Amino acid sequence: MKTVVSSVLVVLVAPVLQVAVVNGLSLPGGGPDIVLICVIALAPHLRPGAGAFLGFAAGLAADIAPPADHTIGRLALVLCLAGWVCARVTADGTAGRRVAVAVAVALGASLAGGVLAALLDGTPWGTALAPGAVAWTVGLAALVAAALALLPRRRSFGRVPRSRDRSREPYSRGRRLA
């Protein structure tokens, strides 16, 4: 229940935080994508379908947040795929694996979003694929994933615990079928 509430808060607050705070900062090279970082942080605690839905909802909220001067659905598509990929990695995975997946997804989603912006909206390639914004996003995603990996492990929402007694399964190792 806690993950569902935090997911709803992310969908509502992250686009507002992106527009009101991050876009107003004058960071060198551009600002990070806070919505993508929040999806990367929460998706490993959800099932892949729920992670994709979280990414889609957050992307759609970011698409319609003012100034909505781009094609609606572009960020929803990118964040939907990012949420699905991050949700495929369990929250109980090793810290190194979670950070590596977070970096790969942040880099891939930033590049995919830039390519879609250049192709669909006619944004210049230098602006769409700003190296500073990609670096900020990837760096913050790695820091957030590392910080969350250090937190104590708890049962995740929607995850089905694996059975410890595999001898009862009909196809377990070492058991013959009659």
Side-chain angles (χ1 to χ4, degrees):
M1 186 68 178
K2 188 186 283 188
T3 306
V4 173
V5 172
S6 60
S7 298
V8 170
L9 286 175
V10 163
V11 169
L12 296 176
V13 174
V16 174
L17 197 70
Q18 179 74 39
V19 171
V21 177
V22 176
N23 291 348
L25 297 175
S26 59
L27 295 172
D33 188 357
I34 298 297
V35 180
L36 174 62
I37 293 169
C38 291
V39 168
I40 289 172
L42 283 177
H45 299 283
L46 301 170
R47 292 184 193 169
F53 182 74
L54 169 73
F56 177 77
L60 193 59
D63 276 332
I64 62 173
D69 59 349
H70 58 274
T71 305
I72 292 181
R74 177 173 52 98
L75 292 174
L77 171 67
V78 171
L79 293 180
C80 178
L81 293 174
W84 180 78
V85 169
C86 285
R88 302 280 300 166
V89 177
T90 63
D92 296 335
T94 63
R97 182 176 180 198
R98 287 183 62 189
V99 170
V101 168
V103 166
V105 168
L107 182 63
S110 297
L111 294 177
V115 168
L116 284 176
L119 293 177
L120 294 177
D121 299 332
T123 306
W125 287 96
T127 305
L129 297 171
V134 173
W136 278 108
T137 302
V138 171
L140 283 177
L143 286 174
V144 168
L148 289 177
L150 295 176
L151 291 177
R153 296 179 183 173
R154 294 186 181 176
R155 182 175 289 259
S156 299
F157 170 72
R159 296 269 184 205
V160 178
R162 292 188 178 221
S163 172
R164 296 195 189 273
D165 183 21
R166 295 200 181 261
S167 63
R168 291 185 167 189
E169 294 180 13
Y171 300 108
S172 63
R173 189 180 294 168
R175 187 163 183 185
R176 286 194 222 176
L177 295 176

